[in-house]
Amino acid sequence: MTEADAFPAALSGTLAGLLPALSTGQLHAPSAPFDVHQDGRPLRIPVRTYYQREQLLACTQLAGDAGVLALCLGTRHHDGHLREACLRQLLLQERAWTAPFVVHLCGEYVLEIVEAIEVALPAWNAEALARYLRENPAYVATLERRAVSYWNCYYRWQYPVWKAYPGSRAMAALRALQALTPR
């Protein structure tokens, strides 16, 4: 699995220019990808990346798609604080190809990440999200089960009712988008 498998082919040139800078000092290769589809194309997105913090942060500041690619890969970083920082910046983007990176974080155990997504979803790229969610129904079901599991293990004492948990509300918003009729 390479990072190129996580993005549309149209971004391969930009990614090829980004990866040498991003990979300098990398602890080890990205791990255990999850498989999804976007616009009919299979994608293999790493569950975790292990880039050096400074390298990743510098790359996220690059102009155009290169910086956004770095943000996407940063949402997969092994450091939850860095995942959250990258997500918050990524949520300001409107590129459809970022949807898999945002959606995957709805199944996160870091509550601050899930809360940020829940807040941003109403204003985010609804059409791109809906199309992506409809294309990956089994994956969305897996994310929902993961959210329930994290709630049960870590947050049930804080949110005794599942529907009050931010992960539940984020998943409900995703399910509502998934049910939208395509234009």
Side-chain angles (χ1 to χ4, degrees):
M1 184 258 127
T2 68
E3 290 94 330
D5 299 330
F7 298 99
L11 296 168
S12 62
T14 305
L15 187 62
L18 172 68
L19 285 177
L22 196 56
S23 299
T24 301
Q26 180 175 303
L27 300 174
H28 52 80
S31 69
F34 61 93
D35 297 320
V36 291
H37 287 84
Q38 188 172 34
D39 298 326
R41 293 182 308 266
L43 299 176
R44 302 198 78 202
I45 299 175
V47 170
R48 287 288 176 256
T49 59
Y50 301 91
Y51 308 115
Q52 291 292 331
R53 179 182 184 83
E54 297 77 25
Q55 293 298 114
L56 176 60
L57 290 173
C59 289
T60 64
Q61 299 307 307
L62 295 171
D65 287 341
V68 180
L69 287 165
L71 287 172
C72 287
L73 292 169
T75 68
R76 309 310 323 129
H77 198 269
H78 65 93
D79 178 332
H81 295 288
L82 197 48
R83 279 197 307 280
E84 180 185 356
C86 289
L87 168 72
R88 287 184 183 280
Q89 291 180 58
L90 188 60
L91 288 170
L92 301 175
Q93 305 298 320
E94 287 293 321
R95 291 163 172 89
W97 50 266
T98 63
F101 295 89
V102 172
V103 169
H104 189 72
L105 291 171
C106 288
E108 249 303 330
Y109 61 89
V110 178
L111 190 58
E112 294 82 1
I113 290 174
V114 177
E115 289 171 333
I117 294 170
E118 178 195 8
V119 168
L121 277 177
W124 212 69
N125 191 337
E127 189 175 321
L129 281 172
R131 196 171 50 248
Y132 174 71
L133 295 165
R134 282 192 303 271
E135 201 168 355
N136 295 285
Y139 169 73
V140 174
T142 297
L143 281 181
E144 191 162 32
R145 286 189 300 273
R146 187 173 297 138
V148 169
S149 179
Y150 286 135
W151 164 73
N152 189 46
C153 287
Y154 302 115
Y155 299 106
R156 194 173 198 150
W157 63 271
Q158 188 176 355
Y159 298 94
V161 177
W162 160 246
K163 289 187 178 194
Y165 174 61
S168 171
R169 295 189 308 256
M171 288 308 304
L174 291 181
R175 290 291 192 181
L177 285 168
Q178 189 177 34
L180 290 177
T181 306
R183 292 181 191 184

